[in-house]
Amino acid sequence: MSTNPCNIYLVGAQCTGKTTLTNVLSSHFEHSLPPESRPGVIKEVARTVLVKHKFTAEDIVSSPDRCLLLQTLILEAQAQAERECLHSGKRWFVADRSGADPIVYAMAYMSADATVGGGGQSLLETEAWAGLRGRMAQSLIVVCEAGMEWLIDDGVRLMPKNMDEWITFHRRFCQFLDEQSLRYVVLPRHMVDMQKRVDFVLSEWQKSGRQSTGN
């Protein structure tokens, strides 16, 4: 079985700096590692799915059927993006979000039972989640904590109504990862300096041994 560098997943509630941190980490590795050792970068797939299938953020809260369909499509898109990245020759990756994200959204805006589609299969029982969860179990998962001052509505993603809802969503992420027995670290909200955020992730990556058995 091959030994590859440990993947890094940046997950958590909306507007917690995941995309910016992904980009800065990508730049760091581009300048610090030789070409053959650099990670692939998996960008947020949800935006592409929203546009491609003509969903709106309002669909998540107004229509249970549309919400479930959207999260199912995002889950499948994440699985495809990870497969394509690894099949492209990259041995590991940094991911802006994960397969956990659409499941947490489905559970947050629908009842737990509502995560079961018309075919009777739960999102947790899909082949897509099985593969995604397997990779996450061997990776560094960083949950970016909610509660900073930069919460801005970009007109695309579903926004929390207030600070309490934002922080509650963060707790949902942690609870779900705990339930799935997926180890994670929390990037604290008070750490707003970008270099410190990068150093935090790199330190945790070093602690993880930087190695993952297979991808």
Side-chain angles (χ1 to χ4, degrees):
M1 187 174 291
S2 63
T3 300
N4 297 319
C6 180
N7 301 320
I8 300 173
Y9 288 92
L10 303 175
V11 308
Q14 314 95 308
C15 300
T16 49
K18 299 180 293 295
T19 299
T20 301
L21 183 54
T22 299
N23 293 337
V24 178
L25 282 169
S26 174
S27 178
H28 167 82
F29 288 124
E30 184 175 351
H31 290 91
S32 63
L33 296 177
E36 66 275 10
S37 300
R38 294 170 189 164
V41 178
I42 299 179
K43 298 183 180 297
E44 179 189 2
V45 301
R47 287 175 179 273
T48 302
V49 172
L50 282 163
V51 173
K52 179 179 179 180
H53 296 278
K54 296 181 172 57
F55 281 93
T56 66
E58 185 63 24
D59 287 328
I60 299 176
V61 295
S62 63
S63 170
D65 289 341
R66 291 279 288 173
C67 177
L68 182 56
L69 176 58
L70 172 60
Q71 305 310 330
T72 300
L73 290 170
I74 293 173
L75 184 71
E76 293 171 349
Q78 181 71 29
Q80 181 178 350
E82 292 187 17
R83 288 194 300 267
E84 289 178 351
C85 179
L86 295 173
H87 290 165
S88 72
K90 294 294 184 181
R91 297 169 54 215
W92 66 293
F93 55 75
V94 178
D96 181 0
R97 296 164 176 76
S98 72
D101 295 60
I103 298 177
V104 172
Y105 271 89
M107 290 179 168
Y109 293 103
M110 307 162 67
S111 67
D113 291 341
T115 59
V116 178
Q121 186 181 41
S122 165
L123 293 178
L124 292 171
E125 297 172 341
T126 60
E127 183 178 345
W129 172 241
L132 292 164
R133 186 193 177 285
R135 274 188 290 275
M136 292 180 73
Q138 299 182 40
S139 302
L140 170 63
I141 304 172
V142 180
V143 182
C144 298
E145 187 178 17
M148 293 79 71
E149 297 180 354
W150 58 52
L151 184 63
I152 300 174
D153 189 347
D154 61 6
V156 178
R157 77 189 90 188
L158 182 67
M159 301 299 293
K161 296 176 182 177
N162 51 48
M163 182 66 72
D164 287 342
E165 184 178 283
W166 197 21
I167 293 174
T168 296
F169 209 93
H170 164 75
R171 291 172 179 161
R172 286 181 182 274
F173 258 96
C174 296
Q175 180 181 352
F176 175 74
L177 294 172
D178 287 336
E179 291 171 350
Q180 291 293 307
S181 299
L182 292 170
R183 290 176 296 177
Y184 61 90
V185 295
V186 174
L187 176 56
R189 62 185 179 183
H190 61 75
M191 190 178 290
V192 296
D193 179 80
M194 182 52 64
Q195 188 57 55
K196 289 182 179 179
R197 291 169 74 83
V198 170
D199 289 344
F200 175 90
V201 175
L202 293 176
S203 175
E204 294 298 330
W205 189 59
Q206 294 284 347
K207 290 179 193 175
S208 71
R210 297 175 46 177
Q211 299 295 314
S212 170
T213 305
N215 276 316

